[in-house]
Amino acid sequence: TSPKSLDVLGTTYATDSWTNTPPAILAKTGRDLLHQTSHPLAILKELIFKEFPTFAHYDSLSPVVSTYQNFDSLGFAQDHPGRSKTDTYYVNQSTLLRTHTSAHQLQLLAAGSRDENGILMQAKNSAAAPRNERFLVAADVYRRDEIDASHYPVFHQMEGVCTFSREEVRDTARQATAAKRQDKAGKVDCPDQAAQMIDTTVVGDGNPIQAAHSAEEAAFLVDNMKQAMNDMVVHILTKAVAAQQSSGDACAPGNQPQFPVRWIDAYFPFTSPSWEMEVLFQGEWLEICGCGVMKQEILNQADMPDRIGWAFGFGLERLAMLLFGVQDIRLFWSSDPRFAGQFSPGRINSFRPFSRHPSCAKDVSFWLPSGSTFHENDIMDLVRETAGDLVEGVKLIDSFTHPKTGKGSRCYRINYCSMDRNVTNEEINGVQELVRKRMVEQLGVTLR
Ligand code: PHE
């Protein structure tokens, strides 16, 4: 028996025979990983936002969207398998947890106009509701899917939408290629980056240019889109490799990594032609992004028939796992400080795996014996001897000299954690007692 209503992010929704979102999934809607500034996904989001400074940036749109937004507005057929309850988390028949950031395309293009029910389509965090000609949306998306090290029912995407007026395209299409190269050369960190890309595009017969677009318009959009995506991916991967080699300067001659990219024909109801973008990174072709020329119906619906555009949808987890060396997608959802504590805003660094078992910190404070030559490593040895592999780390957390007696005081924090089993508090307390006793006996300290 299912509940009569569901609460999602403070709003109550009536349930029906379509409702299939379990509590564990609902609990994820409030985690807000993209706003934890030291979280790898938030760091990656910021990196991408920075790559597109002239685009509007959205990262606070609610994951609860209408079935219309997620599917109908994008031209999904009524019998498209994506709509099925086996693939999608429904709140009720007309409301669901977005399965992709494309759900916001029409709403953000048309902000200020009305949807099929006459409801004002307004972006939550755009007060003035401007119509957006270029924007990025970073958000959590939800899909019922298999379980393995790289799949999780909640993940994150970055949508990019870029439109041009047909007039602008007509005027610039012919010089576009040359102009763009010149324009770019001054802006990117490594002027040769674009040249490193190996484009093995294959446009298949089943991937047509839309009737609403001239060959010139389509060619302009495809070229512009690929260039923008190349630049973004190469820039981010170059940063990552520099971080891994800690060479500091990825642009130094002879130090320029190669990132071949290939574009595989794909199908999406809302773009044509469409591709999956894959990048060769450390020997593997990674599928990281779907993209294509936006279906003109969407722009017409948004009251922009005079504009044409491209769109991409980037999966953030895949890229973040690579950049930060995170092996298991579940770690992104860990609230263990040993995960979050390893990252900081604006920085790409490699994650150091930690035990899956909980750790336990114990402090010990003491006066140093007067007149002796005390070395920190004496403590390290003593703890290692006493606790064996149960000790994960020992860190000085406080140190001072008494102004009157001249005696030195130290406080060390000992982190206990087993690599292969859960340890009881009693066991740890016993070890800590022994450590304290031996410090007095062997190092002559006075415990405080
Ligand atoms: N929304 C698509 C997906 O999740 C990706 C995509 C976005 C494709 C934009 C084309 C254009 O798979």
Side-chain angles (χ1 to χ4, degrees), residues 80-156:
H80 191 285
R83 290 182 184 258
S84 112
K85 283 165 69 177
T86 58
D87 286 25
T88 296
Y89 290 112
Y90 282 89
V91 172
N92 56 42
Q93 184 170 11
S94 60
T95 317
L96 51 82
L97 299 181
R98 70 183 152 227
T99 65
H100 56 174
T101 42
S102 303
H104 299 290
Q105 279 193 11
L106 179 58
Q107 157 203 12
L108 290 176
L109 284 168
S113 60
R114 290 174 190 274
D115 73 9
E116 89 294 2
N117 297 315
I119 294 169
L120 199 62
M121 294 191 284
Q122 187 162 353
K124 212 172 149 198
N125 54 1
S126 73
R131 76 176 206 166
N132 284 294
E133 294 174 349
R134 295 169 186 204
F135 57 86
L136 295 176
V137 185
D140 41 332
V141 301
Y142 299 75
R143 288 186 201 174
R144 302 186 75 200
D145 208 340
E146 59 197 281
I147 299 182
D148 67 27
S150 67
H151 287 84
Y152 200 77
V154 193
F155 57 101
H156 294 78

Side-chain angles (χ1 to χ4, degrees), residues 74 76 99-103 105 141 143 155 157-161 225 266-276 287 289-294 310-315:
L74 294 163
F76 278 72
T99 65
H100 56 174
T101 42
S102 303
Q105 279 193 11
V141 301
R143 288 186 201 174
F155 57 101
Q157 284 186 327
M158 175 75 76
E159 191 86 359
V161 167
M225 173 185 82
Y267 170 81
F268 301 103
F270 40 95
T271 50
S272 190
S274 312
W275 290 274
E276 301 269 11
E287 181 192 313
C289 184
C291 61
V293 174
M294 294 175 77
W310 52 254
F312 65 68
F314 235 92

Side-chain angles (χ1 to χ4, degrees), residues 193 196-200 229-230 233-238 240-241 244 256-264 276-289 314 318-319 322-323:
Q193 272 180 10
Q196 295 172 5
M197 309 306 297
I198 300 165
D199 186 341
T200 57
M229 290 168 63
N230 280 354
V233 169
V234 170
H235 191 231
I236 290 171
L237 293 181
T238 303
V241 168
Q244 278 170 13
Q256 300 204 353
Q258 299 271 323
F259 300 110
V261 160
R262 64 183 187 189
W263 308 85
I264 307 294
E276 301 269 11
M277 182 200 202
E278 298 188 345
V279 181
L280 188 62
F281 187 71
Q282 296 172 349
E284 254 187 276
W285 284 104
L286 288 175
E287 181 192 313
I288 49 175
C289 184
F314 235 92
R318 281 269 179 86
L319 205 51
L322 274 175
L323 298 186

